[in-house]
């Protein structure tokens, strides 16, 4: 037992995260391959089981087989557990077990938790994990109750409770899986305010991040919000409002989407379709029926994604804010990026730039390869790839038709999107070492 422990201590936090997620995905795929998981009683092909397990653990929602129709209750429970573990993080769940058994959290485990939660220091990391678990379970329980009460009018009470709990887990963790069958998500409830607002509340709370939730809960006592929380809340509101207006304008006369809905339904559907690219994946409108302009706009929203320390993916709202701030500062001839009267360190700016460029490189590369392996329209492929990277789960209908290579590439993209490009690069690269010298400054002509 000494050798495995020594190997564990030698692994860097990024490698532990990558290895942990990979192990959970493989275990999940193994369980989904069991005949008991499939309604036909026939083992699911390995690549389909692996794709589903990756999508669930990486809280994406892209599916090659119908979750509600093709999986038994056992298989659906496995998927729900993978979503919960993947959304909160396997280290968070491991910490829960440690806290229950009153085991001490080691320094190495705190470092991994720091990496998993995108924190700048280990200070208060265990207390944050306690809040993560408390907030998550409370929010899921309350919204599961609301779902269950609403759906008890449409189905037996037992089934309504099961659906309520299952979809509360899926929505809060921004997974996008559903049990309604035929890949239709929440399209049957496009005009239902209870289902829509409950789902949107789960999506937004899961997407803003646990640090922001903690700040909001403690606002009465502290009477102030951190810079991070201000940026996340402001950018989230801007993206949702802008998205709602753009989708409403573009789809107002589209008979395949908003055209046949009443005015209240048009507004509600526009708002929901603006919220769901926050990496949720649920939809109340037919994504394939949207106009190309709307589809491309949703691609942009999916690429930005949710916020750091949340259950969502994408480059994150804070990264997008820093990049936008850099453009504004350069245009105005200023040296520093100033947000809410705070100057950002150069390290933050370089990290934001690195994340954005790595994400663009990943999405572009995978899209280029898929255009040669998949016989579909370019926009559909770009939409699918961006959805996988942002761990969103929205699809224009390509997922069930993916080839073997396509399934492997999209699975890898979901994996990279959930962990983050930098974490994956650190895990796969050589050990980082600080340079002991600086090169002389050079000058280049730019622009």
């Amino acid at each position: 037992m000494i050798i495995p422990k020594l190997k564990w201590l030698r692994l860097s936090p990024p490698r532990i995260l990558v290895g942990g997620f990979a192990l959970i995905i493989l275990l999940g795929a193994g369980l989904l391959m069991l005949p008991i998981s499939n309604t036909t009683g026939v083992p699911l092909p390995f690549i389909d089981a692996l794709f589903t397990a990756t999508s669930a653990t990486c809280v994406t929602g892209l599916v090659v087989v119908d979750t509600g129709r093709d999986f038994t209750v056992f298989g659906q429970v496995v998927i729900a557990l993978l979503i919960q573990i993947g959304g909160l993080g396997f280290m968070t769940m491991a910490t829960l077990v440690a806290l229950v058994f009153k085991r001490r959290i080691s320094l190495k485990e705190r470092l991994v938790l720091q990496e998993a939660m995108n924190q700048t220091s280990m200070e208060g990391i265990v207390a944050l994990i306690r809040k993560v678990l408390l907030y998550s379970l409370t929010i899921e329980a309350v919204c599961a109750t609301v779902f269950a009460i609403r759906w008890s009018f449409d189905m037996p009470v037992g089934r309504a409770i099961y659906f309520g709990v299952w979809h509360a887990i899926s929505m809060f963790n921004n997974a996008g899986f559903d049990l309604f069958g035929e890949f239709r998500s929440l399209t049957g409830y496009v005009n239902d305010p209870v289902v829509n607002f409950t789902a949107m509340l789960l999506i937004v709370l899961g997407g803003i991040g646990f640090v922001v939730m903690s700040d909001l809960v403690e606002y009465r006592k502290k009477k102030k919000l951190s810079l991070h929380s201000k940026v996340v809340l402001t950018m989230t509101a801007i993206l949702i409002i802008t998205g709602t207006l753009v989708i409403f304008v573009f789809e107002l006369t589209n008979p395949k989407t908003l055209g046949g809905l009443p005015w209240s339904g048009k507004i509600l559907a526009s708002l929901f379709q603006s919220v769901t690219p926050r990496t949720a994946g649920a939809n109340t409108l037919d994504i394939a029926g949207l106009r190309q302009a709307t589809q491309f706009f949703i691609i942009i929203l999916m690429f930005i994604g949710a916020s750091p320390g949340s259950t969502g993916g994408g480059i994150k709202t804070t990264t997008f804010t820093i990049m936008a701030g850099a453009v504004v500062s350069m245009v105005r001839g200023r040296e520093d990026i100033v947000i809410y009267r705070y100057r950002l360190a150069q390290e933050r700016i370089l990290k934001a730039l690195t994340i954005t460029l790595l994400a663009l490189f990943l999405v572009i590369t995978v899209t280029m390869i898929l255009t040669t392996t998949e016989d579909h329209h370019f926009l559909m492929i770009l939409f699918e790839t961006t959805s996988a990277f942002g761990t969103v789960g929205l699809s224009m209908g390509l997922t069930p038709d993916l080839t073997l290579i396509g399934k492997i590439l999209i699975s890898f993209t979901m994996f990279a999107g959930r962990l983050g490009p930098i974490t994956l690069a650190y895990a796969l690269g050589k050990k980082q070492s600080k340079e002991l010298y600086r090169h002389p400054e050079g000058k280049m002509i730019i622009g």
Side-chain angles (χ1 to χ4, degrees), residues 309-342:
S310 71
T311 59
I315 63 171
K316 305 296 191 297
T317 52
T318 48
T319 301
F320 178 72
T321 302
I322 292 174
M323 297 301 293
V327 173
V328 172
S329 296
M330 180 61 67
V331 170
R332 292 182 176 180
R334 296 176 178 174
E335 292 184 4
D336 298 324
I337 299 177
V338 179
I339 300 176
Y340 286 111
R341 298 183 181 180
Y342 284 95

Coordinates of all heavy atoms in Angstrom, one line a residue, residues 309-342:
G309 N -15.8 27.7 -11.3 CA -16.2 27.1 -10.0 C -17.7 26.6 -10.1 O -18.3 26.4 -9.0
S310 N -18.2 26.5 -11.3 CA -19.6 26.1 -11.4 C -19.7 24.7 -12.0 O -18.7 24.0 -12.1 CB -20.4 27.1 -12.3 OG -19.9 26.9 -13.7
T311 N -20.9 24.3 -12.3 CA -21.1 23.0 -13.0 C -21.0 23.0 -14.5 O -21.2 22.0 -15.2 CB -22.5 22.4 -12.6 OG1 -23.5 23.3 -13.0 CG2 -22.6 22.2 -11.1
G312 N -20.8 24.2 -15.0 CA -20.8 24.4 -16.5 C -19.4 24.5 -17.1 O -18.4 24.4 -16.4
G313 N -19.4 24.6 -18.4 CA -18.2 24.7 -19.2 C -18.0 26.0 -19.9 O -18.5 27.0 -19.5
G314 N -17.3 25.9 -21.1 CA -17.0 27.1 -21.9 C -15.8 27.8 -21.4 O -15.1 27.3 -20.5
I315 N -15.4 28.9 -22.0 CA -14.3 29.6 -21.6 C -14.5 30.4 -20.3 O -13.6 30.9 -19.7 CB -13.7 30.6 -22.7 CG1 -14.8 31.7 -23.0 CG2 -13.3 29.8 -23.9 CD1 -14.3 32.8 -23.9
K316 N -15.8 30.5 -19.9 CA -16.3 31.2 -18.7 C -16.5 32.7 -18.9 O -15.9 33.3 -19.7 CB -15.4 31.0 -17.5 CG -15.1 29.5 -17.2 CD -16.3 28.7 -16.9 CE -16.0 27.3 -16.3 NZ -15.4 26.4 -17.2
T317 N -17.5 33.2 -18.2 CA -17.9 34.6 -18.3 C -16.8 35.5 -17.9 O -16.7 36.6 -18.4 CB -19.1 34.8 -17.4 OG1 -18.9 34.4 -16.1 CG2 -20.4 34.1 -17.9
T318 N -16.0 35.2 -16.9 CA -14.9 36.0 -16.4 C -13.8 36.2 -17.5 O -13.3 37.2 -17.7 CB -14.3 35.5 -15.1 OG1 -14.0 34.1 -15.3 CG2 -15.3 35.7 -13.9
T319 N -13.5 35.1 -18.2 CA -12.5 35.1 -19.2 C -13.0 36.0 -20.4 O -12.2 36.8 -20.9 CB -12.3 33.7 -19.8 OG1 -11.9 32.8 -18.8 CG2 -11.3 33.7 -20.9
F320 N -14.3 35.9 -20.7 CA -14.8 36.8 -21.8 C -14.8 38.2 -21.3 O -14.5 39.1 -22.1 CB -16.3 36.3 -22.1 CG -17.0 37.2 -23.1 CD1 -16.6 37.1 -24.4 CD2 -18.0 38.1 -22.7 CE1 -17.2 37.9 -25.4 CE2 -18.6 38.9 -23.7 CZ -18.2 38.8 -25.0
T321 N -15.1 38.5 -20.1 CA -15.1 39.9 -19.5 C -13.7 40.4 -19.6 O -13.5 41.6 -20.0 CB -15.6 39.9 -18.1 OG1 -16.9 39.4 -18.0 CG2 -15.6 41.3 -17.5
I322 N -12.7 39.7 -19.3 CA -11.3 40.1 -19.3 C -10.9 40.4 -20.8 O -10.2 41.4 -21.1 CB -10.3 39.1 -18.7 CG1 -10.6 39.0 -17.2 CG2 -8.9 39.5 -19.0 CD1 -9.8 38.0 -16.5
M323 N -11.2 39.5 -21.7 CA -10.9 39.7 -23.1 C -11.6 41.0 -23.6 O -11.0 41.8 -24.4 CB -11.3 38.5 -23.9 CG -10.6 37.2 -23.5 SD -8.8 37.3 -23.7 CE -8.7 37.5 -25.5
A324 N -12.9 41.2 -23.3 CA -13.6 42.4 -23.7 C -13.0 43.6 -23.1 O -12.8 44.7 -23.7 CB -15.0 42.3 -23.3
G325 N -12.6 43.5 -21.8 CA -11.9 44.6 -21.1 C -10.6 45.0 -21.7 O -10.2 46.2 -21.8
A326 N -9.8 44.0 -22.2 CA -8.6 44.3 -22.9 C -8.8 45.1 -24.2 O -8.0 46.0 -24.5 CB -7.8 43.0 -23.2
V327 N -9.8 44.7 -24.9 CA -10.1 45.4 -26.2 C -10.5 46.9 -25.9 O -10.0 47.8 -26.5 CB -11.3 44.7 -26.9 CG1 -11.7 45.6 -28.1 CG2 -10.8 43.4 -27.4
V328 N -11.3 47.1 -24.9 CA -11.8 48.4 -24.5 C -10.6 49.3 -24.0 O -10.4 50.4 -24.4 CB -12.8 48.4 -23.4 CG1 -13.1 49.8 -22.9 CG2 -14.1 47.7 -23.9
S329 N -9.7 48.7 -23.2 CA -8.5 49.4 -22.7 C -7.6 49.8 -23.8 O -7.0 50.9 -23.8 CB -7.8 48.6 -21.6 OG -8.6 48.3 -20.5
M330 N -7.4 48.9 -24.8 CA -6.5 49.2 -25.9 C -7.0 50.3 -26.8 O -6.3 51.2 -27.2 CB -6.3 47.9 -26.7 CG -5.3 48.1 -27.9 SD -3.7 48.6 -27.4 CE -3.1 47.1 -26.6
V331 N -8.3 50.2 -27.0 CA -9.0 51.2 -27.9 C -8.9 52.6 -27.2 O -8.7 53.6 -27.9 CB -10.5 50.9 -28.1 CG1 -11.2 52.0 -28.8 CG2 -10.5 49.6 -29.1
R332 N -9.0 52.6 -25.9 CA -9.0 53.9 -25.1 C -7.5 54.4 -24.8 O -7.4 55.4 -24.2 CB -9.8 53.8 -23.8 CG -11.3 53.6 -24.1 CD -12.0 53.6 -22.7 NE -13.4 53.5 -22.9 CZ -14.3 53.4 -21.9 NH1 -13.8 53.4 -20.6 NH2 -15.6 53.4 -22.1
G333 N -6.6 53.5 -25.2 CA -5.2 53.9 -25.0 C -4.7 53.8 -23.5 O -3.8 54.5 -23.1
R334 N -5.3 52.9 -22.8 CA -5.0 52.7 -21.4 C -4.1 51.4 -21.2 O -4.2 50.5 -22.0 CB -6.2 52.5 -20.5 CG -7.1 53.8 -20.5 CD -8.4 53.5 -19.7 NE -9.2 54.7 -19.6 CZ -10.4 54.7 -19.1 NH1 -10.9 53.6 -18.5 NH2 -11.1 55.8 -19.0
E335 N -3.2 51.5 -20.3 CA -2.3 50.3 -20.0 C -2.9 49.2 -19.2 O -2.6 48.1 -19.4 CB -1.0 50.8 -19.3 CG -0.1 51.7 -20.2 CD 1.1 52.1 -19.5 OE1 1.4 51.5 -18.3 OE2 1.9 52.9 -20.0
D336 N -3.8 49.6 -18.3 CA -4.4 48.6 -17.4 C -5.9 48.3 -17.8 O -6.6 49.1 -18.3 CB -4.4 49.1 -15.9 CG -2.9 49.3 -15.5 OD1 -2.1 48.5 -15.9 OD2 -2.7 50.3 -14.7
I337 N -6.3 47.1 -17.4 CA -7.7 46.7 -17.5 C -8.3 47.0 -16.1 O -7.9 46.3 -15.1 CB -7.9 45.2 -17.9 CG1 -7.2 45.0 -19.3 CG2 -9.3 44.9 -17.9 CD1 -7.3 43.5 -19.7
V338 N -9.2 47.9 -16.1 CA -9.9 48.2 -14.8 C -11.3 47.9 -14.8 O -12.1 48.3 -15.7 CB -9.7 49.8 -14.5 CG1 -10.4 50.1 -13.2 CG2 -8.3 50.2 -14.5
I339 N -11.7 47.0 -13.8 CA -13.1 46.6 -13.7 C -13.6 46.9 -12.3 O -13.0 46.4 -11.4 CB -13.3 45.1 -14.1 CG1 -12.8 44.8 -15.5 CG2 -14.7 44.6 -13.9 CD1 -12.8 43.3 -15.8
Y340 N -14.7 47.6 -12.2 CA -15.2 48.0 -10.9 C -14.1 48.7 -10.0 O -14.0 48.3 -8.9 CB -15.9 46.8 -10.2 CG -17.2 46.5 -10.8 CD1 -17.4 45.2 -11.5 CD2 -18.3 47.3 -10.7 CE1 -18.6 44.9 -12.0 CE2 -19.6 46.9 -11.2 CZ -19.7 45.7 -11.9 OH -20.9 45.3 -12.4
R341 N -13.3 49.5 -10.7 CA -12.2 50.2 -10.0 C -11.1 49.3 -9.4 O -10.4 49.7 -8.6 CB -12.8 51.1 -8.8 CG -13.8 52.1 -9.3 CD -14.3 53.0 -8.2 NE -15.3 54.0 -8.6 CZ -15.9 54.9 -7.8 NH1 -15.6 54.9 -6.5 NH2 -16.7 55.8 -8.3
Y342 N -11.0 48.1 -10.0 CA -9.9 47.2 -9.6 C -9.1 47.0 -10.9 O -9.6 46.7 -12.0 CB -10.4 45.9 -9.1 CG -11.0 46.0 -7.7 CD1 -12.3 46.2 -7.4 CD2 -10.1 45.8 -6.6 CE1 -12.8 46.2 -6.1 CE2 -10.5 45.9 -5.3 CZ -11.9 46.1 -5.1 OH -12.4 46.1 -3.8

